[in-house]
Amino acid sequence: MKRTTIFTTLVSLLTIALILMGSGALAKDYIGNSGNTQTEVDTDAKSSEGIQSLRGSFVEFDDSVGSDTCNITGVPQASCLQATPLTTWMDNFDSYATGSQLHGQGGWKGWFNDPSAGALTSDAQANSAPNSAAILGASDLVHEYDGYTSGAWVYKAMQFVPNDFVGQSYFILLNSYDDAGSNLNWSVQVLFNGDTNQVSNTGVSGGTLPLIRGNWVELRVEIDLDADTQAFYYNNQLLYMGTWTSEVSGGGVLNIGAVDLYANGASVVYYDDMSLAFMSPIVDAWKEAPDFAEPGEVIPYTITIEATMLMDGMYMVDPLPEGVEFAGNLTWTDGEAWYDEDDNTVYWEYYEPEAVGEPTIPVVYDPATIDDLVADVELPPMTAATTDGPFERLLITGLSGTLWDNGDFDGNSGLSSELGTSVPDARTADDFLLEDLCPLYDINMIRTQMLQNSNPWDAIVEIYADSGGAGPASLLATFPMTSWELRGSAFGYPWYEYTFDTSGMQLPAGKYWVSSIGLGDGSLGDRAFFGTSGNGFVQLQEGYFKSDYFGFPNWTPGIDVFGNYTDYAFNIDGGCAEPVLIEVSFDVTVTGLHGDHIVNEGWAGIVEGPEQYFEAVTEVVGTPGINVDPLELSAEVVIDTTAMQTLNVCNVGTAPLEWDLIIGADPIMMSVLIIQDQYPWGFSSIQDILTTKGIDYDQIDSLQIPAVDLSPYVLVIVPSDQPSAFYTTWNDNLAKFEDYVENGGALWLSTATSSETDPEPLLPGGVIKSLDLDEYNEILEPTHPWVAGVPDPMYGTFASHDSFTNLYPGSVVVAQAQTSHNPTLVDYSLGDGRILITGQTLEFAWAYDWDGAPILQNSLIDMYYWAVASDIPWLSEDANTGELLPGECQEVKMTFDTTGMDLGDYSANLLIFSNDPLNPIKVVPVELMVVEPEEFFIYLPVALKN
């Protein structure tokens, strides 16, 4: 902490409320002020004179915001109405002279009012031209604020960290500040570290993210002074959540006192477009009325407002065009709407609705589960001619409230959590995911399961933020046990389920960790075990535990008695904190249209009170359809000659068909093997690609490596980001994979991980891996199929984690790190086989559509095609790829060449890969009979003499 003693705070049983004021406060950005004049209207008189919010905050609506920011569907000539936050302070540094000293301008000053700690404006970088503030060397620039002691606020700043940045620079918000230094208290202190390339919270909640260089990045702090909470976002990623008064110094006050841009002797960091605004809820609203009207025209006018989680006293003001009279209806969810003839304006005032019971919000994780929601509802009849056919509202009831279920205790094993102590010296932890279906979730209840050799103990459960790697990060909340239930017994011990009431806890979508802790009574003879899950597979990362008593001081992966990585038995109940958009798809074959399917897309949400509706619209979506003629090729060809046959590839579907032809392996020898202990960074990118392409695969974990037979597989895939235990087993069995490749196999291997592993993975052929973090990779072989469609240089945070040295002879370096110039993507042969090695974060890039995303699909498909292709010297084609519009066909000339062949029968297969969802791979068998030439006898006429 800058210039103060670092406070060490013991946080015990701390519950951090994460409810910020307004709709979606943890998940939404806010629309800027429209710039219209703010009008005050007397609420009692219901006229246009003196509108005033009941809470002193004014929200104005107008129809000038683009329709892409609102939920407007099916409304002709719709205009968008949007609530706007009240910006009370902002500075973009553009009103000051370029290169001028900010100390003494616009309320800015050096720390303790010292001019030498000021900063200069600069036009070297600017988010809004021409200027930004250059925080460099001795800069310690302060701006004080006054009167921010209650309510919810959002503080924003745009920051630019140059590519050559070195040192450690800070962004700071204080709840108390004075120039004499007698009243200082820090609420926010975030470190931008050029040495480690990390952004770190120095407060008690912790939290780190990768530092972004060379781009403008938004810093956003969402502050609720009423709830004493804050959430810090870096580039729209959550860095941490914590309290406002106790996050850094501790013992602070509910006040936004000052911002401090502190260089700390580091090289320059630029700031621009800084603001402090009231955090107003977002209101979805639209109106149905002509955008333009002639003076004197009387127009129908309907305005609909869906106001969820708003404050009493918020108003909408929408003036009609000059000279246009009103005639129509006003529709609103809660409150009152009226038209004022005097100023030709529509007004709406929000009243908080009366409680009508807790609604059950639908949460859908798999589109297939929507069948359960509409199983009892008859959709309108659908035919092949339907294009955008009828829709109807469907009432949805009885939905499950389970957000995450790790399964019940499996009865196989358990991990020691407590040994009779009343102070927690051991605990378990496991991760869970709130999918990106709801901006904000209500967490209502957590249940965990535990074995004990005595009466039920007391227990607590904690919720942690994710560290970005293995194990939990900063503590978000702690909850005491509510009740317990005896579920059975195992190993001679009672099996209990503990319930924790977490009502009031809200979390945005993302990954989190649950930690269960048993609290013993001090008797050393009492034992308790948290049970492993019976789901049969690891969800995200396996469970972890720590125990000073049992010698595991850090979070350690949980392994059951059979040596399997395992999860813990727990589940989480809750729902969306606000209406959620759900997209639903049914695949139904439509008679007469090959491969077409019907898609129903709609939305679910609270419409009136506790009722929930699903609204669907039906349309036929075209898909490609492949047809191949003939279904097999057979030729009888004389030795040392050639013959030709034609294969026709046709698109019988209703969308463009893309196809590739490979002269390849026996279809039963086309399987792929994926070896992983966990999904890289939690993403199933590789599995998704293979499934989309119709490629079958098996999947095993590292414990199965010693026994697995690799010979049935044409391609073995080892994804990124595996745990240390994986690489230990890999290294012990490296020779097995080298033999597989030398005998003609293909190996796709990524070494990129969340952190350095111990041991380092060994690579086939003696190639050496080294940690080499780089945001940019350069493409050295732009014509290589792996990098088709990839920009040069390619960017990512990070684009690559590792590079390689001691390359195998003949290796092709496809890409390299921009800084070290060491290879990051390498293509090489070993014996008769082929290997891809990469240190790039390809699965992460695919999930977030970074520059390197195409490399993942390109390389997987190219390695697979290479692996299934066979060396058939007697068969060739004149085209091996194409794209066909619906109804089009393409001829492929197949040539049989028997030159130098022996007499006999030969066989091969044509493998045709396409984007036909029903037939992604077509197999055409080919038979060749090599025969001798036929014998010919010539009979000449005989001339007879007499």
Side-chain angles (χ1 to χ4, degrees):
M1 185 182 303
K2 187 188 71 171
R3 291 184 293 275
T4 65
T5 303
I6 298 178
F7 290 88
T8 302
T9 305
L10 176 62
V11 181
S12 175
L13 306 182
L14 173 65
T15 301
I16 302 177
L18 298 179
I19 308 170
L20 294 187
M21 181 182 301
S23 174
L26 291 179
K28 287 186 177 178
D29 200 354
Y30 301 93
I31 308 300
N33 195 308
S34 66
N36 286 10
T37 303
Q38 298 180 2
T39 306
E40 295 187 355
V41 176
D42 179 29
T43 58
D44 296 328
K46 294 292 185 293
S47 71
S48 62
E49 299 177 1
I51 284 188
Q52 187 173 357
S53 165
L54 300 182
R55 295 195 180 181
S57 58
F58 184 90
V59 177
E60 183 180 29
F61 294 69
D62 63 64
D63 57 4
S64 63
V65 183
S67 61
D68 60 337
T69 62
C70 285
N71 299 326
I72 301 175
T73 55
V75 182
Q77 296 179 321
S79 295
C80 175
L81 305 172
Q82 186 73 52
T84 59
L86 182 63
T87 300
T88 60
W89 173 86
M90 67 170 295
D91 200 336
N92 58 17
F93 306 103
D94 297 334
S95 62
Y96 315 127
T98 302
S100 64
Q101 174 58 249
L102 281 169
H103 178 87
Q105 295 193 86
W108 294 100
K109 57 186 171 182
W111 181 264
F112 292 165
N113 202 25
D114 182 357
S116 65
L120 302 180
T121 59
S122 172
D123 59 2
Q125 296 290 341
N127 188 58
S128 61
N131 292 333
S132 64
I135 305 303
L136 166 68
S139 294
D140 197 355
L141 191 65
V142 174
H143 195 294
E144 289 189 78
Y145 306 104
D146 182 50
Y148 297 90
T149 58
S150 64
W153 305 89
V154 58
Y155 197 104
K156 292 184 181 181
M158 298 301 294
Q159 182 197 65
F160 185 94
V161 176
N163 289 323
D164 58 355
F165 170 68
V166 293
Q168 299 178 355
S169 192
Y170 290 84
F171 175 84
I172 295 169
L173 289 175
L174 299 99
N175 59 73
S176 297
Y177 171 87
D178 61 40
D179 290 336
S182 59
N183 187 21
L184 302 175
N185 195 285
W186 280 252
S187 288
V188 175
Q189 184 165 271
V190 174
L191 166 64
F192 302 89
N193 195 326
D195 303 324
T196 63
N197 278 312
Q198 286 188 322
V199 178
S200 304
N201 171 33
T202 65
V204 296
S205 299
T208 60
L209 288 171
L211 178 66
I212 298 174
R213 297 171 181 260
N215 285 287
W216 282 99
V217 174
E218 183 189 72
L219 314 183
R220 185 171 80 253
V221 190
E222 296 180 350
I223 307 161
D224 189 340
L225 296 176
D226 296 334
D228 190 19
T229 62
Q230 62 164 303
F232 191 104
Y233 292 86
Y234 177 73
N235 196 34
N236 284 320
Q237 297 186 67
L238 179 65
L239 178 64
Y240 70 90
M241 295 180 185
T243 65
W244 178 252
T245 57
S246 300
E247 176 63 25
V248 182
S249 301
V253 295
L254 295 170
N255 177 56
I256 302 174
V259 66
D260 178 21
L261 309 178
Y262 179 42
N264 192 34
S267 62
V268 67
V269 172
Y270 300 95
Y271 289 88
D272 203 353
D273 296 328
M274 302 177 65
S275 64
L276 178 56
F278 176 75
M279 188 150 41
S280 167
I282 293 297
V283 178
D284 289 329
W286 59 90
K287 69 178 182 181
E288 183 175 356
D291 287 335
F292 301 98
E294 295 296 330
E297 184 178 354
V298 178
I299 62 173
Y301 188 100
T302 300
I303 180 164
T304 303
I305 300 173
E306 293 186 357
T308 306
M309 296 176 63
L310 296 182
M311 296 185 302
D312 280 342
M314 303 197 75
Y315 286 87
M316 192 234 31
V317 180
D318 191 54
L320 274 63
E322 184 178 354
V324 177
E325 299 178 19
F326 167 80
N329 298 313
L330 295 175
T331 305
W332 63 96
T333 305
D334 297 292
E336 182 179 356
W338 68 94
Y339 168 69
D340 190 295
E341 297 180 355
D342 294 336
D343 60 2
N344 203 31
T345 298
V346 175
Y347 294 93
W348 168 80
E349 180 181 2
Y350 173 73
Y351 304 150
E352 186 172 352
E354 296 181 2
V356 290
E358 282 295 321
T360 302
I361 307 298
V363 179
V364 181
Y365 294 101
D366 184 337
T369 63
I370 202 69
D371 290 335
D372 299 334
L373 306 181
V374 296
D376 298 327
V377 181
E378 292 186 5
L379 288 170
M382 295 175 282
T383 66
T386 302
T387 55
D388 57 359
F391 69 89
E392 58 180 44
R393 276 188 158 181
L394 311 177
L395 180 64
I396 301 176
T397 58
L399 298 175
S400 170
T402 299
L403 299 178
W404 188 265
D405 186 0
N406 258 36
D408 280 340
F409 175 54
D410 57 13
N412 287 333
S413 64
L415 291 173
S416 298
S417 175
E418 284 298 324
L419 184 61
T421 61
S422 58
V423 177
D425 64 356
R427 62 189 67 192
T428 59
D430 205 348
D431 53 352
F432 67 94
L433 181 67
L434 299 178
E435 297 198 25
D436 193 17
L437 296 172
C438 306
L440 192 66
Y441 285 86
D442 287 322
I443 310 299
N444 298 331
M445 182 183 300
I446 297 177
R447 287 169 285 172
T448 63
Q449 297 172 36
M450 186 164 66
L451 301 178
Q452 293 170 247
N453 66 350
S454 62
N455 293 329
W457 289 7
D458 196 1
I460 60 174
V461 71
E462 297 173 337
I463 297 181
Y464 286 82
D466 181 45
S467 64
S474 54
L475 176 65
L476 300 181
T478 305
F479 299 94
M481 181 185 71
T482 307
S483 62
W484 58 267
E485 177 186 358
L486 181 64
R487 293 287 303 274
S489 64
F491 303 110
Y493 296 148
W495 164 25
Y496 295 98
E497 182 176 87
Y498 288 84
T499 298
F500 304 85
D501 184 358
T502 59
S503 299
M505 179 72 173
Q506 289 189 327
L507 292 172
K511 182 179 175 183
Y512 301 90
W513 290 74
V514 160
S515 176
S516 303
I517 306 169
L519 301 176
D521 61 3
S523 171
L524 292 179
D526 290 345
R527 296 288 297 275
F529 307 85
F530 277 91
T532 54
S533 168
N535 262 358
F537 62 94
V538 172
Q539 299 193 81
L540 303 178
Q541 290 174 303
E542 65 275 5
Y544 286 71
F545 69 100
K546 64 184 297 186
S547 169
D548 294 330
Y549 185 91
F550 294 102
F552 298 98
N554 298 315
W555 293 111
T556 305
I559 302 178
D560 66 16
V561 294
F562 302 105
N564 298 315
Y565 291 101
T566 183
D567 284 314
Y568 293 110
F570 74 97
N571 57 25
I572 297 176
D573 294 339
C576 296
E578 57 188 28
V580 56
L581 175 71
I582 300 179
E583 294 184 354
V584 187
S585 296
F586 301 98
D587 287 341
V588 181
T589 301
V590 180
T591 304
L593 293 178
H594 176 90
D596 284 8
H597 63 280
I598 294 173
V599 175
N600 292 306
E601 293 186 349
W603 57 269
I606 301 174
V607 177
E608 292 179 359
E611 294 182 336
Q612 302 155 50
Y613 293 89
F614 174 78
E615 187 172 285
V617 60
T618 303
E619 62 178 337
V620 173
V621 179
T623 57
I626 191 170
N627 187 57
V628 178
D629 183 46
L631 298 178
E632 60 182 28
L633 295 177
S634 179
E636 186 175 295
V637 183
V638 173
I639 191 171
D640 293 328
T641 63
T642 61
M644 184 179 296
Q645 291 192 8
T646 299
L647 181 75
N648 289 293
V649 180
C650 298
N651 182 3
V652 294
T654 55
L657 174 76
E658 299 174 358
W659 64 271
D660 295 292
L661 183 148
I662 306 293
I663 300 175
D666 189 320
I668 65 173
M669 294 289 293
M670 292 168 56
S671 292
V672 172
L673 178 65
I674 301 174
I675 308 176
Q676 67 176 48
D677 285 351
Q678 63 187 24
Y679 285 114
W681 299 286
F683 298 118
S684 58
S685 304
I686 291 176
Q687 289 83 349
D688 296 343
I689 291 172
L690 297 181
T691 300
T692 300
K693 295 296 182 180
I695 299 173
D696 293 330
Y697 65 88
D698 294 330
Q699 185 169 311
I700 64 173
D701 60 29
S702 62
L703 295 176
Q704 298 169 275
I705 288 177
V708 69
D709 179 10
L710 300 178
S711 61
Y713 301 102
V714 296
L715 173 63
V716 173
I717 299 172
V718 180
S720 312
D721 193 34
Q722 298 305 301
S724 297
F726 179 95
Y727 297 112
T728 298
T729 306
W730 167 267
N731 290 349
D732 292 342
N733 292 271
L734 179 63
K736 180 174 189 171
F737 293 94
E738 290 183 324
D739 290 343
Y740 163 75
V741 175
E742 288 173 350
N743 288 309
L747 175 64
W748 191 103
L749 171 62
S750 175
T751 65
T753 61
S754 299
S755 59
E756 277 295 81
T757 59
D758 185 16
E760 292 279 6
L762 302 177
L763 304 179
V767 178
I768 298 174
K769 160 201 171 299
S770 299
L771 179 66
D772 189 358
L773 301 172
D774 206 322
E775 292 182 339
Y776 290 91
N777 277 196
E778 299 170 332
I779 308 301
L780 300 186
E781 296 288 337
T783 60
H784 197 288
W786 296 351
V787 292
V790 178
D792 183 20
M794 54 173 270
Y795 172 77
T797 312
F798 290 88
S800 57
H801 282 181
D802 300 327
S803 63
F804 308 101
T805 55
N806 197 41
L807 297 185
Y808 196 75
S811 297
V812 176
V813 178
V814 182
Q816 68 180 14
Q818 187 179 66
T819 303
S820 68
H821 302 300
N822 287 330
T824 57
L825 181 61
V826 182
D827 184 357
Y828 66 104
S829 298
L830 188 66
D832 293 330
R834 184 183 181 193
I835 299 175
L836 171 150
I837 56 171
T838 184
Q840 297 167 328
T841 55
L842 298 181
E843 296 92 342
F844 204 99
W846 180 267
Y848 283 94
D849 197 25
W850 287 355
D851 289 353
I855 297 177
L856 184 63
Q857 178 167 285
N858 292 346
S859 62
L860 287 170
I861 301 306
D862 179 69
M863 291 289 284
Y864 180 71
Y865 284 177
W866 179 90
V868 300
S870 300
D871 185 13
I872 310 293
W874 50 267
L875 185 64
S876 61
E877 76 286 345
D878 69 343
N880 58 15
T881 188
E883 183 172 341
L884 299 172
L885 295 176
E888 288 185 342
C889 293
Q890 183 173 347
E891 290 186 348
V892 180
K893 304 294 185 183
M894 304 301 304
T895 300
F896 298 81
D897 186 348
T898 61
T899 302
M901 297 180 66
D902 295 329
L903 301 177
D905 296 338
Y906 298 85
S907 64
N909 290 286
L910 302 182
L911 311 174
I912 304 173
F913 300 86
S914 75
N915 60 336
D916 179 346
L918 300 182
N919 299 287
I921 302 177
K922 298 279 283 187
V923 180
V924 178
V926 181
E927 300 291 337
L928 169 65
M929 292 160 283
V930 181
V931 298
E932 292 181 333
E934 295 183 3
E935 296 182 355
F936 295 92
F937 299 91
I938 301 176
Y939 298 90
L940 300 176
V942 179
L944 300 178
K945 293 177 72 176
N946 297 330

